[in-house]
Protein backbone atom coordinates (compact mmCIF):
# COMPACT_ATOMS: atom_id res chain seq x y z
CA UNK A 1 0.00 0.00 0.00
CA UNK A 2 1.15 3.54 -0.75
CA UNK A 3 -0.42 4.79 2.47
CA UNK A 4 2.11 5.85 5.08
CA UNK A 5 1.85 4.09 8.38
CA UNK A 6 2.72 5.18 11.87
CA UNK A 7 3.44 2.79 14.67
CA UNK A 8 4.48 3.11 18.23
CA UNK A 9 7.17 0.72 19.40
CA UNK A 10 8.81 0.55 22.78
CA UNK A 11 12.42 1.05 23.74
CA UNK A 12 14.15 -1.53 25.97
CA UNK A 13 13.27 0.58 29.03
CA UNK A 14 9.58 0.60 28.05
CA UNK A 15 9.25 4.09 26.58
CA UNK A 16 7.30 4.39 23.35
CA UNK A 17 9.05 5.30 20.11
CA UNK A 18 6.94 6.67 17.28
CA UNK A 19 8.07 5.19 13.96
CA UNK A 20 6.72 6.60 10.70
CA UNK A 21 7.15 4.64 7.48
CA UNK A 22 6.41 7.13 4.74
CA UNK A 23 7.18 8.24 1.25
CA UNK A 24 10.55 9.01 -0.33
CA UNK A 25 12.60 11.59 1.53
CA UNK A 26 12.48 14.14 -1.29
CA UNK A 27 8.84 13.71 -2.25
CA UNK A 28 8.39 17.49 -2.12
CA UNK A 29 10.92 17.87 -4.92
CA UNK A 30 9.02 15.35 -7.05
CA UNK A 31 5.75 17.16 -6.32
CA UNK A 32 7.30 20.36 -7.67
CA UNK A 33 7.50 22.25 -4.38
CA UNK A 34 11.19 23.16 -4.71
CA UNK A 35 12.04 25.81 -7.32
CA UNK A 36 15.23 24.86 -9.12
CA UNK A 37 15.38 21.43 -7.47
CA UNK A 38 12.75 19.23 -9.11
CA UNK A 39 12.85 15.68 -10.36
CA UNK A 40 10.37 13.31 -11.82
CA UNK A 41 11.48 9.73 -11.22
CA UNK A 42 8.80 9.14 -8.57
CA UNK A 43 6.02 10.03 -11.03
CA UNK A 44 5.03 9.01 -14.52
CA UNK A 45 2.89 11.84 -15.84
CA UNK A 46 2.85 14.58 -18.46
CA UNK A 47 5.77 16.43 -16.84
CA UNK A 48 9.46 15.95 -17.33
CA UNK A 49 10.91 19.00 -15.58
CA UNK A 50 14.56 19.85 -15.75
CA UNK A 51 16.05 19.57 -12.24
CA UNK A 52 17.13 23.23 -12.32
CA UNK A 53 13.79 24.46 -13.69
CA UNK A 54 12.83 27.55 -11.70
CA UNK A 55 9.15 27.69 -12.73
CA UNK A 56 7.88 24.82 -10.63
CA UNK A 57 4.34 26.10 -10.08
CA UNK A 58 2.66 24.28 -13.04
CA UNK A 59 4.12 20.97 -11.87
CA UNK A 60 3.10 21.49 -8.23
CA UNK A 61 -0.39 22.68 -9.19
CA UNK A 62 -1.06 19.31 -10.85
CA UNK A 63 1.00 16.83 -8.83
CA UNK A 64 0.21 17.94 -5.28
CA UNK A 65 -3.60 17.74 -5.60
CA UNK A 66 -3.29 14.39 -7.44
CA UNK A 67 -1.08 13.02 -4.67
CA UNK A 68 -3.49 14.16 -1.95
CA UNK A 69 -6.49 12.69 -3.81
CA UNK A 70 -4.64 9.36 -4.05
CA UNK A 71 -3.92 9.39 -0.30
CA UNK A 72 -7.60 10.01 0.37
CA UNK A 73 -8.56 7.19 -2.02
CA UNK A 74 -6.09 4.86 -0.25
CA UNK A 75 -7.74 5.56 3.13
CA UNK A 76 -5.03 7.75 4.61
CA UNK A 77 -6.48 8.63 8.05
CA UNK A 78 -4.94 12.07 8.65
CA UNK A 79 -5.75 15.57 7.43
CA UNK A 80 -2.01 16.34 7.18
CA UNK A 81 0.91 14.59 5.53
CA UNK A 82 4.67 14.98 5.88
CA UNK A 83 6.34 15.91 2.63
CA UNK A 84 10.11 16.00 2.89
CA UNK A 85 11.82 18.49 0.64
CA UNK A 86 15.39 19.47 -0.19
CA UNK A 87 16.94 22.67 -1.45
CA UNK A 88 18.91 20.86 -4.16
CA UNK A 89 18.75 17.49 -5.85
CA UNK A 90 21.45 15.84 -3.76
CA UNK A 91 21.63 13.96 -0.51
CA UNK A 92 22.30 16.07 2.58
CA UNK A 93 21.70 19.27 0.65
CA UNK A 94 21.41 22.80 1.97
CA UNK A 95 18.11 24.61 2.59
CA UNK A 96 16.69 27.00 0.03
CA UNK A 97 14.94 30.33 0.53
CA UNK A 98 13.11 29.64 -2.73
CA UNK A 99 11.10 26.91 -0.99
CA UNK A 100 9.67 29.20 1.68
CA UNK A 101 8.88 31.82 -0.98
CA UNK A 102 7.03 29.09 -2.89
CA UNK A 103 5.13 28.08 0.28
CA UNK A 104 3.96 31.69 0.73
CA UNK A 105 2.92 31.93 -2.93
CA UNK A 106 1.07 28.60 -2.78
CA UNK A 107 -0.78 29.51 0.41
CA UNK A 108 -1.83 32.87 -1.06
CA UNK A 109 -3.39 31.00 -4.00
CA UNK A 110 -4.58 27.74 -2.40
CA UNK A 111 -4.26 28.08 1.38
CA UNK A 112 -8.00 27.69 1.88
CA UNK A 113 -7.97 24.18 0.36
CA UNK A 114 -4.38 22.88 0.49
CA UNK A 115 -2.16 24.63 3.02
CA UNK A 116 1.62 24.13 3.08
CA UNK A 117 3.56 24.61 6.31
CA UNK A 118 7.22 24.18 7.12
CA UNK A 119 7.64 22.09 10.26
CA UNK A 120 9.93 19.89 12.29
CA UNK A 121 9.81 16.16 12.94
CA UNK A 122 8.84 16.90 16.55
CA UNK A 123 5.86 18.99 15.44
CA UNK A 124 4.77 16.23 13.08
CA UNK A 125 4.99 13.58 15.82
CA UNK A 126 2.88 15.77 18.11
CA UNK A 127 0.21 15.99 15.40
CA UNK A 128 0.22 12.22 14.85
CA UNK A 129 -0.14 11.55 18.58
CA UNK A 130 -2.94 14.13 18.92
CA UNK A 131 -4.95 12.68 16.03
CA UNK A 132 -7.94 10.43 16.67
CA UNK A 133 -6.63 7.57 14.49
CA UNK A 134 -5.27 4.78 16.70
CA UNK A 135 -1.54 4.05 16.44
CA UNK A 136 -0.68 0.33 16.33
CA UNK A 137 1.79 -0.73 19.02
CA UNK A 138 4.51 -3.35 18.57
CA UNK A 139 7.23 -4.78 20.78
CA UNK A 140 10.59 -6.16 19.78
CA UNK A 141 13.71 -5.21 17.89
CA UNK A 142 13.56 -3.19 14.70
CA UNK A 143 16.42 -2.93 12.23
CA UNK A 144 17.68 0.51 11.36
CA UNK A 145 15.72 1.94 8.46
CA UNK A 146 18.57 2.07 5.96
CA UNK A 147 19.96 -1.46 6.32
CA UNK A 148 17.43 -3.21 4.10
CA UNK A 149 16.61 -1.01 1.19
CA UNK A 150 17.30 -0.24 -2.38
CA UNK A 151 20.33 1.78 -1.34
CA UNK A 152 21.36 -0.46 1.56
CA UNK A 153 24.84 -1.87 1.87
CA UNK A 154 24.34 -5.62 1.53
CA UNK A 155 27.87 -6.70 2.43
CA UNK A 156 28.03 -4.51 5.52
CA UNK A 157 24.52 -5.52 6.55
CA UNK A 158 25.37 -9.21 6.13
CA UNK A 159 28.51 -8.86 8.24
CA UNK A 160 26.72 -6.89 10.97
CA UNK A 161 23.93 -9.47 11.17
CA UNK A 162 26.43 -12.33 11.22
CA UNK A 163 28.23 -10.61 14.10
CA UNK A 164 24.93 -10.18 15.99
CA UNK A 165 24.07 -13.87 15.51
CA UNK A 166 27.55 -14.93 16.63
CA UNK A 167 27.32 -12.71 19.68
CA UNK A 168 24.04 -14.35 20.70
CA UNK A 169 25.52 -17.84 20.26
Amino acid sequence: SRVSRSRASTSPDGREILVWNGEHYILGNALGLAPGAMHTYLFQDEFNPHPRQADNYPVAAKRLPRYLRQLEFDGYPYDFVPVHISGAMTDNCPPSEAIIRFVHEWNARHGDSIRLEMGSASEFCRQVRAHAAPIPRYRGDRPDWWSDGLAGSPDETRMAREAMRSLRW
Side-chain angles (χ1 to χ4, degrees), residues 8 36 43 71 77 90 100 123 132 135 166:
F43 292 94
L71 286 178
T90 62
I100 196 63
E123 291 171 42
I135 300 174
S166 297

Side-chain angles (χ1 to χ4, degrees), residues 33 35 96-108 118:
L33 306 181
S96 167
E97 290 181 30
I99 294 171
I100 196 63
R101 285 194 299 271
F102 177 79
V103 167
H104 288 295
E105 178 186 354
W106 179 274
N107 287 340
M118 301 296 281

Side-chain angles (χ1 to χ4, degrees), residues 26-33 37-43 59 63:
I26 50 175
L27 174 64
N29 298 73
L31 290 172
L33 306 181
M38 289 191 292
H39 68 82
T40 208
Y41 67 85
L42 295 176
F43 292 94
V59 176
R63 285 185 177 174

